Amino acid sequence: MDVALVIIGGLVLGSFLNVCIWRIPRGESIVTPPSHCGACGARLRPLDLVPVLSYLCLGGRCRYCQARIALRYPLVELLAAGLLAGLYIHTGLSWLFGFYGVLFLLLIAVSLIDLDHQIIPDSLVIAGAIAGLTMNIAGAGIGIVEGLLGALTGGGILLLIALGALYLSKKEGMGGGDVKLMAMAGLFFGWKMTLVSLFLSVCIAAVVGIALLVSGKKKRQDAIPLGPFLSLGIVLTVFWGEGLLAWYLTHFL
């Protein structure tokens, strides 16, 4: 498979993710009705739906009512294409490409929905868990036992943190969706890489959180969605987790 085909497939899948990101948190079907303009309701034709190119050719506006189309739509398509292309270069055409490709696409949808609505839909987490379990059972992943250990590690650690925060502060410090997301990711990782991804996620979230507080863009009482940081930590772990763990074990243990 040529990387160009992966990029094209990623753009198409990214276009579908845009539908999911918009409709799932609103309780709408991702199948019907067909794609339409959110401003005027006009049904979009095939030429209106070509990933990235349609946006550029139309100048970022609806063909029918000239309403502005959010820049995020082509960016999501490019993100999906870029991640899948990078994964293909990293793993080659293998079971791992399909294994982690499914995870990456789910994480894009999860992150954008969490940013918009501060929720992580159970439907996406369940779909990911089913995919991870199925591939592990089929021998295409890390194995069912290692996957379950990863799920217990990821979900268990965040659950303990959430309960501890609730006990100490008397208010919810972490959503249940974050716990479920890391349990799902653990099915793809196993316990060691799940720990690496949690460490990376916490470090990134801490740096960004401090920067937002210092800049005045967020206050201490403001909630910051954790899903995007967990997702970024997971993606980084797929690419560099093994190397980071080996480096740590070599230099500190």
Side-chain angles (χ1 to χ4, degrees), residues 18-173:
N18 279 320
V19 175
C20 296
I21 292 165
W22 176 264
R23 296 189 183 189
I24 288 177
R26 293 171 172 81
E28 300 176 6
S29 169
I30 61 175
V31 178
T32 58
S35 296
H36 56 278
C37 173
C40 67
R43 181 172 176 176
L44 302 182
R45 301 173 184 174
L47 286 177
D48 304 321
L49 298 171
V50 180
V52 180
L53 291 180
S54 290
Y55 181 88
L56 295 175
C57 292
L58 294 171
R61 293 183 178 275
C62 172
R63 182 191 302 274
Y64 310 100
C65 69
Q66 296 303 302
R68 282 204 170 274
I69 302 170
L71 179 61
R72 194 169 78 176
Y73 286 101
L75 291 181
V76 167
E77 294 163 356
L78 290 170
L79 177 60
L83 284 177
L84 291 183
L87 182 61
Y88 175 73
I89 293 170
H90 183 66
T91 65
L93 184 59
S94 64
W95 283 109
L96 281 179
F97 174 69
F99 190 59
Y100 289 127
V102 170
L103 180 61
F104 280 10
L105 294 173
L106 285 169
L107 291 177
I108 293 172
V110 162
S111 298
L112 271 295
I113 291 173
D114 199 19
L115 281 173
D116 288 342
H117 303 278
Q118 287 74 56
I119 60 170
I120 296 178
D122 286 341
S123 58
L124 292 177
V125 174
I126 292 171
I130 292 173
L133 283 170
T134 300
M135 288 187 278
N136 282 333
I137 292 172
I142 59 175
I144 186 63
V145 173
E146 186 66 16
L148 291 175
L149 286 174
L152 288 172
T153 300
I157 289 175
L158 286 194
L159 179 60
L160 289 175
I161 293 174
L163 292 175
L166 183 62
Y167 176 77
L168 294 174
S169 64
K170 307 304 180 184
K171 62 180 181 179
E172 187 178 277

